[in-house]
Amino acid sequence: MRVYVPLTLPRLAEAHKAGELGPGPLVAYAVTPALREWYVSDDIEELEYAALNRAALASLRLVAGDPWAARRRVVLAADVPDGAAVADPDRGLDEGALGEVRLASALPLAKAAAVHVDSVEAEGDVAAAAAALGAADLGDADAGFLVDGAEGHELLWFATQEIPGLL
């Protein structure tokens, strides 16, 4: 199963140094039954893209909570055994938890398939979105527009061998 773990660049650096993300539990995003139902698609690539975008939003929240983190969203894509990623059945209908899963234990970076990171050009929009998240969560339309501005940037794909260059 492919999972998407939201990170920041400092958290990616810590994982790179340790050789793993952890300890568990870790929050990740994946193609869950609730995400399939919400997205209404049978195309696995579209569904995985939706899960990646959910992780990107979670990464934005991590960036907003870390004043020292570069204003770039980071998502680690990894393959884990089926059953290793478990959705919370009590949050299945919560739109904010669509695609959210938990990994019980640490995730070795050897399981990573790729890293998705914002370009340097996205930093201004990501910074504005991070600053506006709280107001957007409360329904402020202008703040929601700023959050959407960050979501308008496609995350770049990097092979795991390129992590040292990203850091």
Side-chain angles (χ1 to χ4, degrees), residues 3-134:
V3 296
Y4 300 91
V5 183
L7 298 171
T8 61
L9 282 173
R11 288 184 182 193
L12 179 62
E14 290 171 12
H16 179 67
K17 184 178 178 182
E20 68 180 14
L21 288 171
L26 299 170
V27 173
Y29 292 81
V31 177
T32 62
L35 183 72
R36 281 181 189 276
E37 186 176 322
W38 172 73
Y39 200 74
V40 190
S41 175
D42 290 330
D43 185 334
I44 190 64
E45 288 183 13
E46 285 183 21
L47 291 165
E48 286 184 347
Y49 185 72
L52 170 66
N53 284 328
R54 301 295 292 175
L57 179 58
S59 174
L60 179 65
R61 292 185 182 287
L62 294 174
V63 167
D66 182 352
W68 305 109
R71 294 345 224 179
R72 295 168 73 188
R73 299 166 299 162
V74 179
V75 176
L76 181 84
D79 295 314
V80 300
D82 288 343
V86 179
D88 183 347
D90 294 332
R91 296 191 65 198
L93 299 177
D94 179 359
E95 190 172 316
L98 288 170
E100 187 179 289
V101 295
R102 302 251 183 236
L103 303 172
S105 58
L107 178 64
L109 280 188
K111 301 277 185 187
V115 179
H116 302 270
V117 182
D118 273 312
S119 68
V120 173
E121 292 80 21
E123 285 184 347
D125 287 338
V126 172
L133 263 175

